[in-house]
Amino acid sequence: MPTYPETKLTRALRGGEFPVIVSLARHDIDLAKAASGAGAFAIKVHLNAYHRATGTTFGSFAEERPFYEKLATLGVPLLVMAGQEKVPSAEEMDALADLGFEGFNIYFSDMQPHLLQSRLRPMPALGEKSTDKDLKKILQIPGAMMEASVAAFADYGKPLNETDLARYGDITTKAGIPVIAPSQKRFVPDDMPKLKAAGIAAPLLGVIVTGTTTESMEAAVRPIVESART
């Protein structure tokens, strides 16, 4: 298994800094700049995936590479959702690392062995129907961090509630590694201390929070970043 470097992002995740990560609704450099300008610590993009919350289809590495090359010039930590049934080849994972990507995310059920041989740190996602057995398998991956993508699709966009927080707390207690919470629920600034208290290492703000324009990105991300820093 590869050994992964400790980076600004991994230190922030491990050290309780609660860095705000933004997942782009579409691959648009102005949207990425708006996220970074509003205080996002890191940016996540997608490959080989249909995104249910937006209805957007993200293409292959060859198709998305020109955007990634622009994104790499922003100088912020980069993560990639690697795919679903289709995932990048070993060579494409190497190319992502060369561009500066430092971690990849994929539902644990879609993980393929060669992805774990890459230089990108694995951040597998638990899904709505994942079990403790799945969580234990993730914990067996050296160097892994985790995403808790556990909300039901029917609940997307609803306010965060105590049941959600209890599930996050159960996952983080059992995991003992950094757990990222994606905004399947509509995270608001007041949710940040609640997520911290549940043991979440970072919020991941997606389209449900950020919207799809530079204006909505700025308006949503900045107050959440401010709340996350307090």
Side-chain angles (χ1 to χ4, degrees):
M1 293 288 180
T3 55
Y4 308 105
E6 286 297 333
T7 65
K8 182 181 173 184
L9 177 59
T10 59
R11 286 191 292 270
L13 290 167
R14 294 187 199 282
E17 294 180 38
F18 204 66
V20 174
I21 305 168
V22 167
S23 176
L24 297 182
R26 65 180 189 279
H27 288 175
D28 180 299
I29 196 66
D30 290 331
L31 206 58
K33 289 177 179 177
S36 179
F41 194 100
I43 290 176
K44 176 180 165 182
V45 296
H46 291 71
L47 269 180
N48 307 309
Y50 173 73
H51 193 260
R52 289 191 298 178
T54 61
T56 302
T57 297
F58 296 94
S60 67
F61 176 72
E63 292 167 325
E64 304 292 355
R65 181 171 189 155
F67 171 72
Y68 294 163
E69 290 174 348
K70 292 179 188 175
L71 190 64
T73 67
L74 297 186
V76 298
L78 301 177
L79 305 173
V80 61
M81 190 279 184
Q84 293 162 331
E85 292 85 4
K86 180 181 178 183
V87 300
S89 67
E91 293 76 18
E92 288 169 340
M93 293 293 281
D94 281 343
L96 285 161
D98 290 341
L99 284 170
F101 283 82
E102 61 179 82
F104 77 94
N105 166 240
I106 194 168
Y107 279 107
F108 181 68
S109 56
D110 292 325
M111 181 70 75
Q112 294 188 25
H114 74 271
L115 298 177
L116 297 175
Q117 303 301 320
S118 81
R119 288 179 280 148
L120 274 64
R121 184 184 294 274
M123 298 181 176
L126 291 175
E128 175 191 354
K129 296 178 181 174
S130 293
T131 63
D132 280 355
K133 185 176 179 181
D134 297 322
L135 191 154
K136 288 175 182 176
K137 288 180 180 177
I138 290 174
L139 296 180
Q140 292 169 1
I141 300 172
M145 295 186 178
M146 187 187 303
E147 186 176 302
S149 188
V150 293
F153 187 60
D155 291 336
Y156 275 30
K158 294 180 180 179
L160 188 70
N161 61 38
E162 292 302 319
T163 301
D164 302 319
L165 292 166
R167 185 159 192 198
Y168 287 147
D170 181 59
I171 290 168
T172 60
T173 299
K174 291 173 178 173
I177 60 174
V179 177
I180 296 165
S183 64
Q184 298 169 299
K185 294 298 190 78
R186 190 180 296 276
F187 293 171
V188 296
D190 287 349
D191 290 331
M192 297 305 106
K194 299 173 187 175
L195 290 169
K196 281 186 193 178
I200 292 297
L204 172 63
L205 309 182
V207 66
I208 284 168
V209 171
T210 67
T212 60
T213 68
T214 55
E215 293 80 11
S216 64
M217 177 72 75
E218 164 73 28
V221 173
R222 190 173 295 280
I224 287 177
V225 168
E226 290 171 358
S227 178
R229 287 174 176 166
T230 59

